Amino acid sequence: MTRFRSLVRAHKTATVLAGAAVAVAIVVGAALFQPWRLFTSSSLDEALPAAPVAASSSPVTLASAVPTGTPTPSGPMIVSSGTFQSQEHETTGAARLLKLPDGSHVLRLENLASSDGPDVKVWLSSLEAGGDWFKYRSGRYVDLGPVKATHGNHNYDIPAGTDVAGLTSVVLWCDRFSVAFGSAPLA
């Protein structure tokens, strides 16, 4: 111990520089990895998207209440769905691609349970779920934005004009470290 103290006293500048480098490394490492997220989680329970109700200024008569032609769906239709499988982090729940009566699409995550992490996004991908997660960057994907919570039921609007044909999986993607937390096939 005495030898260490005399070495520090003899090389004060080097000791200060080494201490500063260690402090910078700790701050940068904490900002990049956000290790406290290992111990955090969040929940959100959004309602299933509902069909918009059209307001009518005229009274409904029996004749106008009788359906004519092909009936139109009154709520969301499931286009495809699948169950999450864990990849880099334990992930469970289901994903459903829904078509709303107005023709728009919504991705619904149900009973999701996953880990928190820095910069986790929800992607629709053209690549199959599971397996090597390095592959997801090389396929076609649609970024639906940050995951809203680590647990619960969430809805993600799919941008208008998005061709959902060929998008075969949902991926919880950590953009900062290029890893998939989990993925679900859409079949």
Side-chain angles (χ1 to χ4, degrees), residues 1-50:
M1 189 69 162
T2 306
R3 188 170 189 208
F4 177 74
R5 286 183 186 158
S6 57
L7 184 64
V8 168
R9 285 185 190 134
H11 303 287
K12 288 180 183 178
T13 304
T15 302
V16 169
L17 289 175
V22 168
V24 167
I26 289 171
V27 169
V28 168
L32 186 63
F33 290 97
Q34 298 178 354
W36 55 89
R37 290 200 163 207
L38 291 172
F39 309 105
T40 62
S41 67
S42 56
S43 293
L44 176 64
D45 191 18
E46 291 183 316
L48 184 67

Side-chain angles (χ1 to χ4, degrees), residues 66-77:
V66 175
T68 58
T70 308
T72 57
S74 62
M77 293 183 348

Side-chain angles (χ1 to χ4, degrees), residues 22 24 37 43 48-49 52 73 81 85 88 99 113 125 153 163 171 180:
V22 168
V24 167
R37 290 200 163 207
S43 293
L48 184 67
S81 64
Q85 52 191 283
E88 184 64 18
K99 185 173 184 178
S125 173
N153 303 303
D163 181 11
V171 181

Side-chain angles (χ1 to χ4, degrees), residues 5-187:
R5 286 183 186 158
S6 57
L7 184 64
V8 168
R9 285 185 190 134
H11 303 287
K12 288 180 183 178
T13 304
T15 302
V16 169
L17 289 175
V22 168
V24 167
I26 289 171
V27 169
V28 168
L32 186 63
F33 290 97
Q34 298 178 354
W36 55 89
R37 290 200 163 207
L38 291 172
F39 309 105
T40 62
S41 67
S42 56
S43 293
L44 176 64
D45 191 18
E46 291 183 316
L48 184 67
V53 177
S56 175
S57 59
S58 60
V60 177
T61 64
L62 185 56
S64 67
V66 175
T68 58
T70 308
T72 57
S74 62
M77 293 183 348
I78 298 173
V79 175
S80 55
S81 64
T83 303
F84 273 98
Q85 52 191 283
S86 299
Q87 288 188 267
E88 184 64 18
H89 293 265
E90 181 70 29
T91 302
T92 59
R96 299 191 196 304
L97 181 59
L98 304 175
K99 185 173 184 178
L100 302 180
D102 66 1
S104 64
H105 289 89
V106 169
L107 176 70
R108 179 159 173 87
L109 304 184
E110 295 181 335
N111 300 315
L112 178 69
S114 189
S115 300
D116 197 2
D119 206 17
V120 179
K121 308 239 173 124
V122 178
W123 282 8
L124 287 174
S125 173
S126 64
L127 300 173
E128 77 177 33
D132 182 17
W133 41 260
F134 293 108
K135 67 185 175 192
Y136 292 116
R137 280 246 190 236
S138 64
R140 176 179 157 234
Y141 66 89
V142 177
D143 185 342
L144 301 180
V147 69
K148 294 178 179 180
T150 59
H151 293 76
N153 303 303
H154 326 153
N155 302 314
Y156 297 86
D157 293 327
I158 297 174
T162 300
D163 181 11
V164 295
L167 295 173
T168 60
S169 64
V170 176
V171 181
L172 294 185
W173 182 258
C174 178
D175 220 14
R176 181 165 302 161
F177 295 107
S178 294
V179 298
F181 278 32
S183 59
L186 290 175

